[in-house]
Amino acid sequence: MTELDLVVRARRVLTEGGESARCVGVAGGRVVAVEPYDSALTAPRSVVLTDDEVLLPGLVDTHVHVNEPGRTEWEGFASATRAAAAGGVTTIVDMPLNSVPPTVDTGALSVKRAAAGRQCHVDVGFWGGAVPGNTPRLRALHDAGVYGFKCFLVHSGVDEFPHLSADGLEEALAELRSFDGLMIVHAEDPVVIDEAPDPRGTHYDRFLASRPRAAEDVAIAQVIELARRTGARAHVLHLSSSDALPMIASARRDGVRITVETCPHYLTFTAEDVPDGATQYKCCPPIREAANREALWDGLAAGVIDCVVSDHSPCVPELKRPDTGDFGEAWGGISSLQLGLSAVWTEASARGFTLADVTRWMAERPAEIAGVRGKGRIAAGFDADFCVFAPDAVQVIDPAALHHRNPVTPYAGAALSGAVRGTWLRGAPIDPARPRGRLLTRLGATAESPGGGQEDM
């Protein structure tokens, strides 16, 4: 047996075999043994969780907009990764837009990595972007270590990251198929949205009507057809329309390589409960009706929806237009990186789901879909990334206690079940005063470690 650095014992540990009392042995930042609770494993450091705490794998959030550099006043790597750690998230994958320059070529990727530098409190990987004209550069980005490529089928909200046409998407998917790259898609149809009602005003129902379910459904049908035609892998981002679930299930039965995520806000909030002028609830696609929310939960139960990630998309407070409460003018995005686990557990437990379900949706499957090696499980050979979670604790959300740079949130004042009591990265508690997160890349690539050296990932 390898000499251990750390032994963690808990009456409740979430492993590949489910929840049970376990003793976890750690050496060199990785799990090397998972044994019965009373195992004789010893180490210089020993931690015993209390009976009301559960040891979960560190969460993997593959949909985070950090925005640094270029819009660091919206969110930066230091603040975003502190928020992640406070919410039990030990790995994030950063989106290629809202930062300037967007990550659409290897030069921009180098700028992004340099900005992340040595200020990350959790491990950070990067998505590349697919925009008109950069298809010839996708292979180089893939070889430089991005986990895949994000595209929009509708205006992205920022002019420097234009959306793809149907022909552009097919061209990019064909290129990705040549090296088995992953395309992740913001799937809303611009024609449907252009023909929808105007979103301006303080009434949420006007905004909801401006982004109808049909906009998602038409775009997702297009993604399915082009993935079928090219054989490429595609992933639907932030699904909010439950109407799309049957066609996704059918496509999978036909062998189309498509996966799907949804987000905590679609599983928590309902359109009927959004107050007038409450632009902190605005996101695209939008929070929909209560019946739609329940159908999304059914999609998770059936395995049609693979995972739950935050789509943490912050901005400076004034862009939410609290002065006017106009949904048409406000920035669309919800800051929830720190709150996702408690929000999802609150709703999941009320519907009879278990922590094993939540862990699968928020740790294991995101890591598998993105291809983030060694993350998302408590198992031998995986990084010793842990979340110490008290599922029966109750917390009332105070925005002032959040670590997001601009803690504007629709969760303000909400009573959520479950509290994160500790987050461990590679066998050591995360210290908010001492960043030691690594910059991750795909299999076979390298990334600079906090110490400045090069390390195989």
Side-chain angles (χ1 to χ4, degrees):
M1 169 71 69
T2 303
E3 185 174 344
L4 301 178
D5 308 317
L6 168 71
V7 169
V8 181
R9 298 180 196 272
R11 294 294 177 185
R12 301 175 66 186
V13 179
L14 261 298
T15 68
E16 294 173 293
E19 182 181 312
S20 57
R22 286 287 182 263
C23 175
V24 180
V26 175
R30 290 185 176 173
V31 175
V32 297
V34 181
E35 298 193 0
Y37 183 89
D38 293 325
S39 167
L41 293 180
T42 60
R45 184 169 190 184
S46 179
V47 174
V48 180
L49 270 57
T50 60
D51 288 347
D52 68 332
E53 295 174 337
V54 186
L55 188 69
L56 307 179
L59 304 189
V60 178
D61 192 335
T62 54
H63 196 147
V64 179
H65 295 267
V66 175
N67 305 336
E68 184 177 4
R71 293 187 175 96
T72 309
E73 68 275 15
W74 293 19
E75 186 72 282
F77 282 102
S79 52
T81 56
R82 276 195 298 268
V89 177
T90 52
T91 303
I92 66 171
V93 186
D94 174 59
M95 284 293 168
L97 74 157
N98 297 347
S99 55
V100 181
T103 314
V104 296
D105 55 41
T106 55
L109 177 62
S110 296
V111 170
K112 178 66 75 76
R113 285 176 170 160
R118 303 178 185 181
Q119 59 175 327
C120 297
H121 296 274
V122 302
D123 288 350
V124 178
F126 302 94
W127 296 108
V131 297
N134 84 325
T135 297
R137 299 195 290 273
L138 298 181
R139 180 59 185 258
L141 270 170
H142 176 80
D143 292 344
V146 299
Y147 284 95
F149 303 89
K150 180 176 185 176
C151 72
F152 278 73
L153 302 185
V154 69
H155 194 283
S156 70
V158 291
D159 292 338
E160 67 272 8
F161 198 95
H163 67 281
L164 293 179
S165 65
D167 289 343
L169 175 60
E170 183 171 11
E171 177 187 52
L173 284 171
E175 174 66 10
L176 266 57
R177 179 67 180 90
S178 70
F179 51 82
D180 201 32
L182 175 64
M183 181 70 83
I184 63 174
V185 186
H186 181 123
E188 288 183 285
D189 184 81
V191 175
V192 174
I193 289 175
D194 286 346
E195 294 176 350
D198 190 300
R200 288 174 293 183
T202 60
H203 297 301
Y204 185 77
D205 57 357
R206 290 178 61 91
F207 170 64
L208 181 62
S210 77
R211 314 287 291 217
R213 297 189 201 187
E216 283 188 86
D217 302 338
V218 169
I220 290 169
Q222 183 179 81
V223 172
I224 289 170
E225 179 54 32
L226 294 179
R228 186 195 314 273
R229 188 181 306 171
T230 61
R233 292 189 294 142
H235 178 76
V236 175
L237 298 168
H238 44 51
L239 179 72
S240 81
S241 171
S242 62
D243 292 349
L245 293 171
M247 77 171 106
I248 293 166
S250 177
R252 285 184 178 162
R253 288 193 295 269
D254 291 345
V256 178
R257 298 198 294 166
I258 188 164
T259 51
V260 183
E261 70 184 39
T262 193
C263 304
H265 39 277
Y266 301 129
L267 299 170
T268 300
F269 302 118
T270 65
E272 294 91 336
D273 293 331
V274 177
D276 288 351
T279 54
Q280 64 269 29
Y281 289 86
K282 180 182 176 180
C283 56
C284 299
I287 294 162
R288 303 193 186 277
E289 302 86 350
N292 182 85
R293 177 186 66 178
E294 297 313 308
L296 292 177
W297 279 106
D298 291 342
L300 276 167
V304 181
I305 300 174
D306 296 272
C307 61
V308 182
V309 292
S310 70
D311 189 11
H312 178 71
S313 186
C315 65
V316 291
E318 55 266 29
L319 287 181
K320 278 294 190 181
R321 296 311 305 265
D323 55 333
T324 66
D326 191 319
F327 283 96
E329 296 177 348
W331 174 260
I334 288 178
S335 298
S336 62
L337 184 55
Q338 185 172 335
L339 302 175
L341 176 56
S342 293
V344 172
W345 173 239
T346 299
E347 299 296 325
S349 59
R351 291 167 175 81
F353 294 103
T354 68
L355 277 174
D357 296 319
V358 173
T359 298
R360 183 174 67 256
W361 300 330
M362 302 189 76
E364 181 179 338
R365 284 299 283 148
E368 289 175 345
I369 291 167
V372 184
R373 291 194 305 147
K375 302 291 188 180
R377 298 184 187 183
I378 298 176
F382 281 67
D383 286 356
D385 296 349
F386 305 136
C387 168
V388 178
F389 188 60
D392 297 326
V394 176
Q395 56 173 324
V396 177
I397 303 307
D398 176 6
L402 300 178
H403 293 276
H404 311 144
R405 174 155 292 176
N406 298 290
V408 177
T409 174
Y411 292 96
L416 299 182
S417 298
V420 175
R421 290 185 177 168
T423 308
W424 293 55
L425 183 66
R426 291 185 302 279
I430 293 176
D431 180 351
R434 182 175 172 264
R436 57 185 185 86
R438 293 175 177 167
L439 306 186
L440 306 179
T441 69
R442 285 186 313 99
L443 176 65
T446 59
E448 187 176 343
S449 71
Q454 295 290 313
E455 178 169 346
D456 287 326
M457 295 298 176

